[in-house]
Amino acid sequence: MKDMFVRCRALWRSSFVRNGLRSCSLKALCTRVVHDADTIFALSSGHGKCGVAVVRVSGPASGFALQSIAGFRHTLPAARTALLRNITDPHSQELLDRALVLWFPGPRSFTGEDCAEFHIHGGPAVISGVLKALGSLPGVRAATAGEFTRRAFLAGKLDLTEVEGLGDLIHAETEAQRRQALRQMAGDLARLYQDWSQHLTRCLAHVEAFIDFGEDELIENEVLNQVDHGVSQLQLQMERHLQDERRGERLRNGVQVVIAGAPNAGKSSLLNLLCRRPAAIVSPVPGTTRDVVETHLDIGGFPVVLSDTAGLRDTVDGVEREGVRRARERVDLSDVTLVMLDLTQLPKDHQSVPSFLMDHLRSTLLSGEDLRDSLQKFLLVFNKRDLLPQEQLDNIQKTIIHMEGLPPACLLSCQSGDGFDQFLRVLQNRLQTLCGDPLVGSPSLTQARHRSHLQQSLRALAQYHQYRDLDLALSAEGLRLALASLGRITGKVGPEEILDIIFRDFCIGK
Ligand SMILES: Nc1nc2c(ncn2[C@@H]2O[C@H](COP(=O)(O)OP(=O)(O)OP(=O)(O)O)[C@@H](O)[C@H]2O)c(=O)[nH]1
Ligand SMILES: [K+]
Ligand SMILES: [Mg+2]
């Protein structure tokens, strides 16, 4: 507080304030600064040297900030029109840059407040000079991470799903992620959840009316039957939305692809080929890879978290055994397992290949009863085709194609690259199936947070049916709980902590 006063006085004393805010007494200036919400500023473009950097200001003193450093005396520029101005230090009047400035009077701005933007030259000295000048103004301070977006949310400009969409867009690394984030930011998911909330609100209103007036027979039983039907319909829609096999979440977080198989099959070689760099050590010694080696990749526009793992075998070496345990754990958690096999290790007699393969899968990878489930996420990769004559390869291929219940298979050579393009196509198709097309159909569920609120909402709707004929008041409470859970997704209902978690993920300046 004292600090603020000292800064106010210093500014007031400086020639600028005396000229620019002639009508403003020191007391009035202090009062304005203390009582209004803070005005915040930040570098909104990326860090490091660049052609143009954007500095954003939001809050009641934004106009004052423009006047103070962009040389407007008693006026402000026309709204949303770029102007080329000299940017000066408000105390020393030293020229800092010549830059474009924009004025966005609230409420028609990103945050709903008065905002200003400075499009300055992107050199570090220019940026720090402008930021320092803004920070020296009374009531103006540096923004914390996500503070601009938090203000936009509080002003009702975005709901929480749109905020999350915006966050995802900033972090999107692949095309499919960008498409999904843009769709969510545009409010597709928000509209879906809002429709459901409105629908539920109507149901609740009808039940409450029935509780209040039903006994006087002013409202017919038919009203309750309609509510029953409406609630059941909504349950169906929510269940369908939840049964998306985590498509949206997968696309947001990356598809977990794990390379597993016997030692020396060429797992690390495949990882290096996929990420086009020697990320994992390759050597003729079986048991080279011990720990999980993880890389993030963009394969055909889809985000992939690719893991190379230790060769699966029984061993007395404690470290290797831990590696094998970790490998199995990864396989269990994976969305796709690339089962790597060495073609030279297959039996010479191709008739016995099928039984060999099934035995191999069972002994190394399939830990339990759910054989079918595990097989579904497998993709067999037969490596080292460069070491076999074509005739033998043809025979193996024929045998595999005709084997029932076997996962899709590819033959390739990590050494020569033969068959790699075909393998990539198969993998891409699998990724496409797992992620879906974010632009087709109803918007996907993208966050575990949404899933858990929707599940709570569904449980509450079950309470409606459970008490429908026993106690209508409890039934109505079920609808109220369901509505509250939906409200938590969009941010209509919600404790401060949820907001903190969501906005924390934003960068400063957004
Ligand atoms: N001829 C040939 N050799 C290959 C091919 N792919 C890998 N290799 C060789 O096979 C050996 C083992 O390769 P790695 O990539 O280390 O195998 P890995 O499955 O990761 O082995 P571990 O980590 O020990 O389980 C190395 O000597 C590779 O050079 C291939 O397509 N053809
Ligand atoms: K090896
Ligand atoms: Mg390896």
Side-chain angles (χ1 to χ4, degrees), residues 207 211 463-478:
V207 174
I211 292 173
Q463 177 178 333
Y464 167 81
H465 291 296
Q466 191 185 349
Y467 291 102
R468 157 74 163 77
D469 297 322
L470 301 171
D471 184 343
L472 212 49
L474 279 179
S475 233
E477 184 57 20

Side-chain angles (χ1 to χ4, degrees), residues 454-502:
L454 285 172
Q455 279 160 345
Q456 275 168 14
S457 197
L458 267 177
R459 278 196 291 276
L461 290 180
Q463 177 178 333
Y464 167 81
H465 291 296
Q466 191 185 349
Y467 291 102
R468 157 74 163 77
D469 297 322
L470 301 171
D471 184 343
L472 212 49
L474 279 179
S475 233
E477 184 57 20
L479 295 186
R480 231 171 271 124
L481 289 174
L483 201 55
S485 294
L486 274 182
R488 280 191 195 98
I489 302 181
T490 52
K492 288 237 162 61
V493 181
E496 196 63 7
E497 308 88 75
I498 303 182
L499 302 185
D500 282 342
I501 292 168
I502 291 166

Side-chain angles (χ1 to χ4, degrees), residues 263-269 283-284 287-289 311 383-384 386 413-415:
N264 261 6
K267 301 178 293 300
S268 303
S269 306
S283 94
T288 302
T289 306
N383 188 29
K384 310 194 186 182
D386 56 299
S413 162
C414 289
Q415 196 135 304

Side-chain angles (χ1 to χ4, degrees), residues 143-160:
T144 57
E147 207 174 359
F148 287 91
T149 312
R150 182 188 270 262
R151 290 186 178 198
F153 167 73
L154 292 174
K157 293 270 171 182
L158 304 166
D159 89 340
L160 270 192

